[in-house]
Amino acid sequence: MKKIQTTVIFVAALFLLVPFVVNAASVVMSPTEISIEPEETFAITLTANPGVSTVYTTGVNISFDADVVEVTGFSFSSNWVEVKQSGYDVVDNESGVLVKTAGYPGGFSSPKVFGVVTLRSKSEGDAEFNLTNESLMLDETSSDIYVAASEGRSASIYVSPVEEPQTEDTVVEEPVYEENAADKETIQEVPEFATTTAPEQTTTTEEMDTEPQPQSTFIAAVFKIITFGTGNNWVGLGFLIVIATVTYILVRKARKTKKKLTQ
């Protein structure tokens, strides 16, 4: 009997808790799966869902793998007033921690975009971008009513290596030419023309010999006389000088004799 009562109480508790969990205040992120390459920039949007309550302040506390990704920026959506107090505004890319807090004047009772996180992939690997239980959502009594959402509380980031394009070997087909009738014609042989050889002309030594001219013979005889048969040019030159000198003396002497006779 006690077992039956315990079971009934447990089931009733579940039915009471289900509406509370479904309508609980939470923060979700989108997209929840990201596939990129190294050195790429991407963004994740955070949305605050107040459930059945009215929320005035929201704070997100996110952990991530700092070896794979890093936070490069954060921008709040409109109407949010940023809280810049120590511990409520943190960007730590060494430890992998992001904390952002802001108030919403007048509160909100329907889902509102909280802000957009900008990240950059650093190296290959897988990383989780998780909302931790240190996140908060405060109602009108400043009570923290944040409950981690069952879905959308984290984003899985997959950083894969850059794929090099694969090039396929291109086979170039050589064109096939069909032979036609013109290509098959036999080339006619070029007739050889008879060549005639000119008769060889022979010249004998006797034909090449020419008889000496009379003038050449006379000059040779005179040259032989004035050189006294030696054929020496200097002897001939000396002889001509002597002849010229004697002739000059005789002519001069004859002129003087003629001059005396006329006086």
Side-chain angles (χ1 to χ4, degrees):
M1 186 68 179
K2 290 183 178 180
K3 290 183 178 180
I4 296 175
Q5 291 178 349
T6 303
T7 303
V8 172
I9 294 172
F10 178 75
V11 172
L14 286 177
F15 277 103
L16 292 174
L17 288 174
V18 167
F20 174 77
V21 173
V22 172
N23 296 313
S26 61
V27 178
V28 294
M29 59 181 65
S30 176
T32 56
E33 289 190 2
I34 302 169
S35 297
I36 53 174
E37 296 177 351
E39 304 298 330
E40 283 193 15
T41 301
F42 59 100
I44 296 177
T45 301
L46 303 176
T47 301
N49 184 2
V52 295
S53 304
T54 300
V55 174
Y56 291 83
T57 303
T58 300
V60 295
N61 188 302
I62 302 173
S63 64
F64 58 92
D65 189 344
D67 293 332
V68 180
V69 296
E70 65 178 358
V71 175
T72 59
F74 186 93
S75 59
F76 285 98
S77 185
S78 59
N79 298 327
W80 289 93
V81 179
E82 181 180 2
V83 177
K84 294 185 178 181
Q85 296 179 7
S86 177
Y88 292 92
D89 184 15
V90 178
V91 178
D92 188 347
N93 281 317
E94 293 184 0
S95 301
V97 176
L98 171 66
V99 178
K100 289 292 178 179
T101 309
Y104 197 93
F108 62 97
S109 56
S110 60
K112 300 291 182 182
V113 175
F114 181 68
V116 177
V117 187
T118 305
L119 302 100
R120 185 181 70 89
S121 56
K122 297 169 60 177
S123 61
E124 301 175 15
D126 299 338
E128 292 293 326
F129 197 68
N130 292 316
L131 281 160
T132 69
N133 291 328
E134 295 182 11
S135 300
L136 59 87
M137 298 185 78
L138 305 180
D139 60 9
E140 64 274 8
T141 63
S142 296
S143 298
D144 186 4
I145 59 175
Y146 172 79
V147 176
S150 58
E151 295 181 0
R153 63 177 295 180
S154 66
S156 300
I157 304 169
Y158 308 102
V159 183
S160 57
V162 179
E163 295 183 0
E164 297 182 358
Q166 297 180 355
T167 57
E168 297 181 356
D169 296 335
T170 304
V171 179
V172 180
E173 297 182 358
E174 296 182 357
V176 178
Y177 299 98
E178 295 183 358
E179 296 182 356
N180 50 35
D183 295 333
K184 295 181 179 181
E185 291 182 357
T186 305
I187 300 175
Q188 296 181 356
E189 296 182 357
V190 178
E192 296 182 357
F193 296 95
T195 57
T196 57
T197 305
E200 296 182 357
Q201 296 181 357
T202 58
T203 304
T204 60
T205 306
E206 295 179 355
E207 293 178 353
M208 295 180 63
D209 292 340
T210 57
E211 295 181 358
Q213 299 295 328
Q215 185 177 0
S216 300
T217 304
F218 174 75
I219 294 173
V222 172
F223 181 75
K224 187 175 181 180
I225 292 171
I226 64 177
T227 59
F228 300 100
T230 61
N232 192 316
N233 294 334
W234 292 106
V235 174
L237 180 60
F239 178 76
L240 291 176
I241 292 173
V242 172
I243 295 298
T245 302
V246 172
T247 302
Y248 174 75
I249 294 172
L250 292 176
V251 171
R252 187 174 181 181
K253 188 175 181 180
R255 287 180 179 178
K256 287 181 179 182
T257 303
K258 185 177 180 181
K259 187 176 181 181
K260 288 180 179 182
L261 292 175
T262 57
Q263 289 180 354

CSV table of all heavy atoms in Angstrom, one decimal, residues 44-46 60 62 71-77 80 82 89-91 98-102 113-119 129:
chain,number,residue,atom,x,y,z
A,44,ILE,N,26.9,34.0,-33.0
A,44,ILE,CA,25.9,33.3,-32.3
A,44,ILE,C,24.9,34.3,-31.6
A,44,ILE,O,25.4,35.2,-30.9
A,44,ILE,CB,26.5,32.3,-31.2
A,44,ILE,CG1,27.4,31.3,-31.9
A,44,ILE,CG2,25.4,31.7,-30.4
A,44,ILE,CD1,28.1,30.4,-30.9
A,45,THR,N,23.6,34.1,-31.8
A,45,THR,CA,22.6,34.9,-31.2
A,45,THR,C,22.1,34.4,-29.9
A,45,THR,O,21.7,33.2,-29.9
A,45,THR,CB,21.5,35.2,-32.2
A,45,THR,OG1,22.0,35.7,-33.4
A,45,THR,CG2,20.4,36.1,-31.6
A,46,LEU,N,22.0,35.2,-28.9
A,46,LEU,CA,21.4,34.8,-27.6
A,46,LEU,C,20.1,35.4,-27.4
A,46,LEU,O,19.9,36.6,-27.6
A,46,LEU,CB,22.4,35.2,-26.4
A,46,LEU,CG,23.8,34.7,-26.5
A,46,LEU,CD1,24.6,35.3,-25.4
A,46,LEU,CD2,23.9,33.2,-26.5
A,60,VAL,N,24.4,36.5,-18.8
A,60,VAL,CA,24.8,35.2,-19.3
A,60,VAL,C,26.3,34.9,-18.9
A,60,VAL,O,27.1,35.8,-18.9
A,60,VAL,CB,24.7,35.2,-20.9
A,60,VAL,CG1,23.3,35.3,-21.3
A,60,VAL,CG2,25.5,36.3,-21.5
A,62,ILE,N,29.2,32.2,-20.0
A,62,ILE,CA,29.4,31.2,-21.1
A,62,ILE,C,30.9,30.7,-21.0
A,62,ILE,O,31.8,31.5,-20.8
A,62,ILE,CB,29.1,31.8,-22.5
A,62,ILE,CG1,27.7,32.3,-22.5
A,62,ILE,CG2,29.4,30.8,-23.6
A,62,ILE,CD1,27.4,33.0,-23.8
A,71,VAL,N,36.5,35.0,-28.6
A,71,VAL,CA,35.5,36.0,-28.7
A,71,VAL,C,36.1,37.3,-29.3
A,71,VAL,O,37.1,37.8,-28.7
A,71,VAL,CB,34.8,36.3,-27.4
A,71,VAL,CG1,33.8,37.4,-27.5
A,71,VAL,CG2,34.1,35.0,-26.9
A,72,THR,N,35.5,37.8,-30.3
A,72,THR,CA,36.0,39.1,-30.9
A,72,THR,C,35.1,40.3,-30.7
A,72,THR,O,35.5,41.4,-30.9
A,72,THR,CB,36.3,38.9,-32.4
A,72,THR,OG1,35.0,38.5,-33.1
A,72,THR,CG2,37.3,37.8,-32.7
A,73,GLY,N,33.9,40.0,-30.2
A,73,GLY,CA,33.0,41.1,-30.0
A,73,GLY,C,31.6,40.7,-29.5
A,73,GLY,O,31.3,39.5,-29.5
A,74,PHE,N,30.9,41.6,-28.9
A,74,PHE,CA,29.6,41.3,-28.4
A,74,PHE,C,28.7,42.6,-28.5
A,74,PHE,O,29.2,43.7,-28.2
A,74,PHE,CB,29.6,40.9,-26.9
A,74,PHE,CG,28.2,40.5,-26.4
A,74,PHE,CD1,27.8,39.2,-26.4
A,74,PHE,CD2,27.3,41.4,-25.9
A,74,PHE,CE1,26.6,38.8,-26.0
A,74,PHE,CE2,26.1,41.0,-25.4
A,74,PHE,CZ,25.7,39.7,-25.5
A,75,SER,N,27.5,42.5,-29.1
A,75,SER,CA,26.7,43.7,-29.2
A,75,SER,C,25.3,43.3,-28.6
A,75,SER,O,24.7,42.3,-29.0
A,75,SER,CB,26.5,44.0,-30.7
A,75,SER,OG,26.0,43.0,-31.5
A,76,PHE,N,24.8,44.2,-27.7
A,76,PHE,CA,23.5,44.1,-27.1
A,76,PHE,C,22.4,44.5,-28.1
A,76,PHE,O,22.6,45.4,-29.0
A,76,PHE,CB,23.4,44.9,-25.9
A,76,PHE,CG,24.1,44.4,-24.7
A,76,PHE,CD1,25.4,44.8,-24.4
A,76,PHE,CD2,23.6,43.4,-23.9
A,76,PHE,CE1,26.1,44.3,-23.3
A,76,PHE,CE2,24.3,42.9,-22.8
A,76,PHE,CZ,25.5,43.4,-22.5
A,77,SER,N,21.3,43.8,-28.0
A,77,SER,CA,20.1,44.2,-28.8
A,77,SER,C,19.6,45.5,-28.2
A,77,SER,O,20.0,46.0,-27.2
A,77,SER,CB,19.1,43.1,-28.7
A,77,SER,OG,18.0,43.4,-29.6
A,80,TRP,N,18.3,47.2,-24.3
A,80,TRP,CA,19.1,46.7,-23.1
A,80,TRP,C,20.1,47.7,-22.6
A,80,TRP,O,20.7,48.4,-23.4
A,80,TRP,CB,19.8,45.4,-23.5
A,80,TRP,CG,18.9,44.2,-23.8
A,80,TRP,CD1,18.3,43.8,-25.0
A,80,TRP,CD2,18.4,43.3,-22.8
A,80,TRP,NE1,17.6,42.7,-24.8
A,80,TRP,CE2,17.6,42.4,-23.5
A,80,TRP,CE3,18.6,43.1,-21.4
A,80,TRP,CZ2,16.9,41.3,-22.9
A,80,TRP,CZ3,17.9,42.1,-20.8
A,80,TRP,CH2,17.1,41.2,-21.5
A,82,GLU,N,23.5,48.0,-20.6
A,82,GLU,CA,24.6,47.1,-20.2
A,82,GLU,C,25.0,47.5,-18.7
A,82,GLU,O,25.1,48.6,-18.3
A,82,GLU,CB,25.8,47.4,-21.1
A,82,GLU,CG,27.0,46.5,-20.8
A,82,GLU,CD,28.1,46.8,-21.8
A,82,GLU,OE1,27.9,47.6,-22.7
A,82,GLU,OE2,29.1,46.1,-21.7
A,89,ASP,N,30.8,41.9,-16.5
A,89,ASP,CA,31.2,42.2,-17.9
A,89,ASP,C,32.7,41.6,-18.1
A,89,ASP,O,33.6,42.3,-17.8
A,89,ASP,CB,31.2,43.7,-18.2
A,89,ASP,CG,31.5,44.0,-19.6
A,89,ASP,OD1,31.5,43.1,-20.5
A,89,ASP,OD2,31.8,45.2,-19.9
A,90,VAL,N,32.8,40.4,-18.6
A,90,VAL,CA,34.1,39.7,-18.7
A,90,VAL,C,34.2,39.1,-20.1
A,90,VAL,O,33.3,38.4,-20.6
A,90,VAL,CB,34.3,38.6,-17.6
A,90,VAL,CG1,35.6,38.0,-17.8
A,90,VAL,CG2,34.1,39.2,-16.2
A,91,VAL,N,35.4,39.3,-20.7
A,91,VAL,CA,35.8,38.6,-21.9
A,91,VAL,C,37.2,38.1,-21.7
A,91,VAL,O,38.1,38.9,-21.7
A,91,VAL,CB,35.7,39.5,-23.2
A,91,VAL,CG1,36.2,38.8,-24.4
A,91,VAL,CG2,34.3,40.1,-23.4
A,98,LEU,N,33.1,34.1,-21.0
A,98,LEU,CA,32.4,35.3,-21.5
A,98,LEU,C,31.2,35.6,-20.5
A,98,LEU,O,30.4,34.7,-20.3
A,98,LEU,CB,31.8,35.1,-22.9
A,98,LEU,CG,30.9,36.2,-23.4
A,98,LEU,CD1,31.6,37.5,-23.6
A,98,LEU,CD2,30.3,35.8,-24.7
A,99,VAL,N,31.2,36.8,-19.9
A,99,VAL,CA,30.1,37.2,-19.0
A,99,VAL,C,29.5,38.5,-19.5
A,99,VAL,O,30.3,39.5,-19.7
A,99,VAL,CB,30.6,37.3,-17.6
A,99,VAL,CG1,29.4,37.8,-16.7
A,99,VAL,CG2,31.1,36.0,-17.1
A,100,LYS,N,28.2,38.6,-19.8
A,100,LYS,CA,27.6,39.8,-20.2
A,100,LYS,C,26.3,40.0,-19.4
A,100,LYS,O,25.5,39.0,-19.3
A,100,LYS,CB,27.3,39.8,-21.7
A,100,LYS,CG,28.5,40.0,-22.5
A,100,LYS,CD,29.2,41.4,-22.4
A,100,LYS,CE,30.4,41.5,-23.2
A,100,LYS,NZ,31.0,42.9,-23.1
A,101,THR,N,26.0,41.2,-18.9
A,101,THR,CA,24.8,41.4,-18.0
A,101,THR,C,24.2,42.7,-18.5
A,101,THR,O,24.9,43.7,-18.8
A,101,THR,CB,25.2,41.5,-16.6
A,101,THR,OG1,26.0,40.4,-16.2
A,101,THR,CG2,24.0,41.6,-15.7
A,102,ALA,N,22.8,42.8,-18.5
A,102,ALA,CA,22.1,44.0,-18.9
A,102,ALA,C,20.7,44.0,-18.3
A,102,ALA,O,20.1,42.9,-18.0
A,102,ALA,CB,22.1,44.1,-20.4
A,113,VAL,N,15.7,39.2,-27.9
A,113,VAL,CA,17.0,38.9,-28.3
A,113,VAL,C,17.9,39.7,-27.4
A,113,VAL,O,17.8,40.9,-27.2
A,113,VAL,CB,17.3,39.4,-29.8
A,113,VAL,CG1,18.8,39.2,-30.1
A,113,VAL,CG2,16.5,38.5,-30.7
A,114,PHE,N,18.8,39.0,-26.7
A,114,PHE,CA,19.7,39.6,-25.7
A,114,PHE,C,20.9,40.3,-26.4
A,114,PHE,O,21.3,41.4,-26.0
A,114,PHE,CB,20.2,38.5,-24.7
A,114,PHE,CG,21.1,39.0,-23.6
A,114,PHE,CD1,20.6,39.9,-22.6
A,114,PHE,CD2,22.4,38.7,-23.5
A,114,PHE,CE1,21.4,40.4,-21.6
A,114,PHE,CE2,23.2,39.1,-22.5
A,114,PHE,CZ,22.7,40.0,-21.6
A,115,GLY,N,21.5,39.6,-27.3
A,115,GLY,CA,22.7,40.1,-28.0
A,115,GLY,C,23.3,39.1,-28.9
A,115,GLY,O,22.8,38.0,-29.1
A,116,VAL,N,24.3,39.5,-29.6
A,116,VAL,CA,25.0,38.7,-30.6
A,116,VAL,C,26.5,38.6,-30.3
A,116,VAL,O,27.1,39.7,-30.1
A,116,VAL,CB,24.8,39.2,-32.0
A,116,VAL,CG1,25.6,38.4,-33.0
A,116,VAL,CG2,23.4,39.3,-32.4
A,117,VAL,N,27.0,37.4,-30.2
A,117,VAL,CA,28.4,37.2,-29.9
A,117,VAL,C,29.1,36.9,-31.2
A,117,VAL,O,28.7,36.1,-32.0
A,117,VAL,CB,28.6,36.0,-29.0
A,117,VAL,CG1,30.1,35.9,-28.5
A,117,VAL,CG2,27.7,36.1,-27.8
A,118,THR,N,30.3,37.6,-31.4
A,118,THR,CA,31.1,37.4,-32.6
A,118,THR,C,32.3,36.6,-32.2
A,118,THR,O,33.0,37.0,-31.3
A,118,THR,CB,31.5,38.7,-33.3
A,118,THR,OG1,30.3,39.5,-33.6
A,118,THR,CG2,32.2,38.4,-34.6
A,119,LEU,N,32.6,35.5,-32.9
A,119,LEU,CA,33.8,34.7,-32.6
A,119,LEU,C,34.6,34.4,-33.8
A,119,LEU,O,34.2,34.6,-35.0
A,119,LEU,CB,33.3,33.3,-32.0
A,119,LEU,CG,32.5,33.4,-30.7
A,119,LEU,CD1,31.0,33.2,-31.1
A,119,LEU,CD2,32.9,32.3,-29.7
A,129,PHE,N,30.3,25.8,-26.8
A,129,PHE,CA,30.0,27.2,-26.4
A,129,PHE,C,28.8,27.0,-25.4
A,129,PHE,O,27.6,27.0,-25.9
A,129,PHE,CB,29.7,28.1,-27.6
A,129,PHE,CG,29.8,29.5,-27.3
A,129,PHE,CD1,31.0,30.1,-27.0
A,129,PHE,CD2,28.6,30.3,-27.3
A,129,PHE,CE1,31.0,31.5,-26.8
A,129,PHE,CE2,28.7,31.7,-27.1
A,129,PHE,CZ,29.9,32.3,-26.8
